[in-house]
Amino acid sequence: MISNIYLKNFKAFQETEIPPVRLNIFTGLNALGKSTFLQSLLLLRQSYRQNTLLDKGLLLNGEYIEIGKGK
């Protein structure tokens, strides 16, 4: 089970840490990062499924999500 999620410099998140619990509800105004957080999970999932070594980078475009090109 995932015990902690840490995002740094990913879209709307400059730096954040989210400890998941049994039920997480994301609410708030538009453009606060609710969808971005879910996209980060999809990005990790598709990178893992394509056997991308996470220490070498992430698979930005794939089956679950298309982020584009990184800088």
Side-chain angles (χ1 to χ4, degrees):
M1 184 171 134
I2 297 174
S3 61
N4 197 26
I5 298 169
Y6 176 77
L7 298 174
K8 185 172 181 179
N9 297 327
F10 182 71
K11 292 185 154 189
F13 295 109
Q14 186 174 13
E15 186 172 13
T16 191
E17 190 170 346
I18 301 171
V21 294
R22 292 182 63 109
L23 175 65
N24 289 293
I25 298 174
F26 295 96
T27 64
L29 299 173
N30 291 340
L32 290 179
K34 298 176 299 289
S35 297
T36 298
F37 175 73
L38 296 175
Q39 288 175 346
S40 70
L41 297 177
L42 290 171
L43 182 62
L44 288 173
R45 171 83 172 159
Q46 84 181 7
S47 296
Y48 177 77
R49 287 201 56 179
Q50 294 296 322
N51 295 322
T52 301
L53 298 175
L54 296 180
D55 61 341
K56 303 246 181 194
L58 298 169
L59 181 62
L60 298 180
N61 300 300
E63 178 182 354
Y64 296 116
I65 189 169
E66 292 189 17
I67 299 292
K69 296 181 179 180
K71 290 183 179 182

